[in-house]
Amino acid sequence: MFCVGVALGLVTFGDTTFLTYVGWFIALVICNEKVLQDAKRDLQLKNYLSENTIFLLACLGGWVYGAFIEALVVSVLYQFGKQLIMQVTQWSMQKLDELVSHQNLGRRLVKENEEMVPLTEFDIGDVLVVKEGETIPLGGKIIKGKAKLDVYAIDGSDVYQTSKIGTQVFSGTVVAEGYLHIKTTALYDVSAMSKIVDIATNAPISSSSTEKIINKVSDIYTKALIIVGLICCVILPILNLHDNLNYMYLGIIMLTVSGSFAYVQGASFTLLAGVAKAFSKKIAIKENSGLDDLNTCVTIIYDRFDGIETTEDEMDLFEKIKGLHKSLVIFNDGPVDLENDEYTIYNNYSVEQKLEVMDKALVAGPVAYIGDNSKDIALLQKAYVGISRGGIKDKKVIENSDIMLMNSDLNTVIETFMISKKQKYITIENIFVGLFINVILMILAVLFIIPWWLALVIYLIEVVVVLFNTHRIIDMK
């Protein structure tokens, strides 16, 4: 049927008749069968302005205009482009998945041989092997090995513990030095690490403020182009077909590039990449809006560990936070008072006094609070973004934290802000690139310089570029 339609169109092409239109219409319908099915589904879901539906309107306009061959070429390019975008999307998702999937595997000792297996396959009594630098994924008792243990993620302790045979260890503990053989006493489903992995993999459950703005702008942009495109394709030719026929071609291009896929998809992947990258750095983001909200904070309140003297690394951290161009407030609970003219410091304040300081800071704008564990829950609750250091076994800490740091390295604090900042810049870049390309496309279309098929190719390239740009978050060092 497709070949018959094309043949009929070509045979009568030199002397356009009713049969010419019939032939090319048959060819277009068959060529766009998949698009028609998708458009039908969109209409059933009451999505009347879907990309599939608008593209079919553009093809119909091209058919009426008489751009038969070009309409067929555009149809093929459109469907090829959708497949290309799908492949890039799947590849991007695989890269995101790789950042978190390694947390679901563990070394099981079987007859003196180690094998990597999913943590869900471990049974109570199995021997788990954990090497230097790795996180203990399942709780159990140490039966062999010697190691220094970093329990920061468990209770916020900044002091390494020395392992002993028979000692109970918890999931989330890091083997800082040495190695361990652990006889598991708990299944993965009830482990603290499983909860954190769930948080990371299921974080994008709500739209961030940036995503909402992009969706709104995209919706306005799409509707505006559709309205202008329909005016050019329908209204102007009806008023004066002879003088306004060329405007139909302009309208076809506008309808074709009116989709907001590049903005919406780019924003979604940027948020996902930020969450996944953070988790690879042992930063658990409870919701995708956490990193986005962090950018809006004008004040950072840093609550130091109790009873720990100030270190050079900590002073370097204060300097880096100051470089973020945000107000820094430091709560110091000893053992000695901290004094530094460069920072606002409050020594040995009670929780009630700290809450009063936060209330004053909130007057200037959103506040990010970085606290220890359960004693700081009231402050985590009041802050616009609550960041907890350690305490993943404490249910209340998890419930009241927007972001959880599971790494005792102080650089993790600044890395959280840097990922947030990178995510913001990538989003802005994607919007700018998309708008710039579309404005150029519209100018060229209005001047009748660019053909319909080339406009579609440029639009598809724009979508791919936006998706690839998101990978810069994944590839951050």
Side-chain angles (χ1 to χ4, degrees):
M1 287 293 291
F2 176 78
C3 291
V4 169
V6 172
L8 185 61
L10 289 173
V11 168
T12 61
F13 194 72
D15 184 18
T16 304
T17 65
F18 174 74
L19 289 176
T20 310
Y21 280 89
V22 171
W24 288 115
F25 184 79
I26 292 171
L28 276 173
V29 168
I30 294 173
C31 184
N32 286 294
E33 181 182 0
K34 181 64 171 62
V35 184
L36 281 164
Q37 292 172 352
D38 292 341
K40 180 182 177 182
R41 181 201 60 212
D42 294 336
L43 292 173
Q44 289 173 340
L45 295 172
K46 297 183 180 180
N47 184 10
Y48 302 115
L49 296 179
S50 71
E51 194 168 4
N52 293 307
T53 305
I54 300 305
F55 177 75
L56 289 175
L57 284 176
C59 286
L60 183 62
W63 173 75
V64 173
Y65 179 76
F68 305 120
I69 296 177
E70 192 171 11
L72 205 59
V73 170
V74 166
S75 298
V76 173
L77 288 172
Y78 176 74
Q79 293 178 74
F80 172 78
K82 286 187 73 173
Q83 290 299 315
L84 175 62
I85 291 168
M86 188 179 297
Q87 291 298 319
V88 175
T89 301
Q90 290 176 350
W91 180 58
S92 300
M93 288 301 295
Q94 286 175 354
K95 291 198 71 172
L96 296 181
D97 189 54
E98 287 170 4
L99 291 177
V100 296
S101 62
H102 69 281
Q103 297 287 349
N104 292 316
L105 296 174
R107 288 189 183 86
R108 184 167 60 187
L109 189 65
V110 180
K111 296 180 181 180
E112 298 185 358
N113 293 318
E114 298 175 13
E115 56 181 14
M116 294 295 291
V117 297
L119 295 173
T120 52
E121 293 185 11
F122 273 79
D123 293 321
I124 292 175
D126 285 348
V127 178
L128 174 71
V129 180
V130 186
K131 298 184 178 181
E132 186 172 311
E134 295 179 345
T135 300
I136 297 174
L138 300 171
K141 286 187 177 180
I142 299 173
I143 60 173
K144 184 180 178 181
K146 188 175 182 180
K148 284 186 178 180
L149 303 178
D150 180 354
V151 295
Y152 179 89
I154 305 301
D155 57 16
S157 174
D158 203 29
V159 180
Y160 286 164
Q161 296 180 1
T162 302
S163 67
K164 294 179 181 178
I165 303 297
T167 301
Q168 181 79 27
V169 289
F170 299 99
S171 64
T173 302
V174 177
V175 176
E177 292 180 13
Y179 78 98
L180 293 175
H181 287 189
I182 300 167
K183 189 174 184 179
T184 57
T185 57
L187 298 176
Y188 179 68
D189 291 343
V190 297
S191 69
M193 280 308 298
S194 73
K195 296 175 184 176
I196 297 302
V197 171
D198 285 342
I199 287 172
T201 54
N202 298 309
I205 58 176
S206 61
S207 296
S208 68
S209 55
T210 300
E211 197 172 11
K212 288 176 181 176
I213 293 171
I214 290 173
N215 286 333
K216 190 171 183 179
V217 171
S218 297
D219 184 56
I220 294 171
Y221 161 80
T222 298
K223 289 177 179 176
L225 278 188
I226 290 172
I227 291 171
V228 175
L230 290 175
I231 290 173
C232 292
C233 279
V234 181
I235 306 299
L236 293 180
I238 289 176
L239 293 176
N240 191 324
L241 181 61
H242 183 268
D243 293 337
N244 297 329
L245 185 61
N246 283 339
Y247 287 109
M248 182 180 287
Y249 194 76
L250 172 61
I252 293 165
I253 295 176
M254 288 187 170
L255 290 174
T256 303
V257 301
S258 64
S260 56
F261 184 92
Y263 306 110
V264 177
Q265 193 77 341
S268 298
F269 271 109
T270 303
L271 292 169
L272 283 168
V275 172
K277 185 63 180 182
F279 186 69
S280 71
K281 297 283 188 178
K282 297 189 180 297
I283 304 164
I285 311 297
K286 203 168 176 183
E287 292 187 3
N288 61 12
S289 57
L291 288 172
D292 193 53
D293 292 340
L294 203 56
N295 282 310
T296 65
C297 294
V298 297
T299 303
I300 299 172
I301 297 179
Y302 182 88
D303 203 336
R304 298 188 65 250
F305 282 120
D306 298 352
I308 303 295
E309 292 187 10
T310 309
T311 63
E312 193 171 315
D313 288 342
E314 200 169 31
M315 295 306 296
D316 287 342
L317 173 63
F318 296 158
E319 189 66 28
K320 289 176 181 177
I321 293 176
K322 186 180 176 183
L324 296 172
H325 306 294
K326 298 179 186 289
S327 298
L328 174 61
V329 175
I330 301 170
F331 291 147
N332 173 53
D333 296 331
V336 294
D337 287 353
L338 180 63
E339 294 182 4
N340 192 308
D341 295 337
E342 294 184 38
Y343 311 112
T344 303
I345 302 171
Y346 298 94
N347 292 299
N348 299 308
Y349 266 36
S350 65
V351 173
E352 289 73 20
Q353 289 174 311
K354 291 178 180 178
L355 287 169
E356 290 177 5
V357 172
M358 185 179 286
D359 283 332
K360 293 178 182 177
L362 284 167
V363 174
V367 172
Y369 172 77
I370 306 170
D372 295 352
N373 40 56
S374 56
K375 73 177 183 62
D376 300 319
I377 285 177
L379 292 152
L380 289 169
Q381 288 175 333
K382 184 176 279 290
Y384 186 67
V385 177
I387 304 174
S388 62
R389 301 175 296 173
I392 64 172
K393 288 191 70 66
D394 192 320
K395 185 178 179 181
K396 289 185 177 180
V397 171
I398 294 176
E399 288 175 351
N400 293 284
S401 300
D402 300 299
I403 299 173
M404 287 162 284
L405 309 184
M406 301 177 289
N407 193 326
S408 59
D409 187 351
L410 288 174
N411 283 327
T412 306
V413 176
I414 201 67
E415 282 178 341
T416 306
F417 286 93
M418 296 312 294
I419 293 171
S420 171
K421 193 175 181 180
K422 188 77 169 181
Q423 180 180 282
K424 176 184 176 182
Y425 285 158
I426 295 294
T427 302
I428 293 172
E429 285 175 8
N430 287 342
I431 293 173
F432 176 79
V433 168
L435 287 176
F436 177 78
I437 292 175
N438 284 352
V439 168
I440 297 298
L441 271 178
M442 289 303 100
I443 293 173
L444 294 175
V446 169
L447 296 174
F448 299 103
I449 293 174
I450 190 169
W452 179 17
W453 67 269
L454 184 56
L456 175 62
V457 169
I458 293 173
Y459 169 71
L460 293 172
I461 291 173
E462 173 195 339
V463 178
V464 173
V465 167
V466 165
L467 291 175
F468 271 116
N469 193 38
T470 304
H471 290 203
R472 289 170 54 206
I473 299 176
I474 302 172
D475 298 332
M476 281 179 67
K477 300 299 182 182

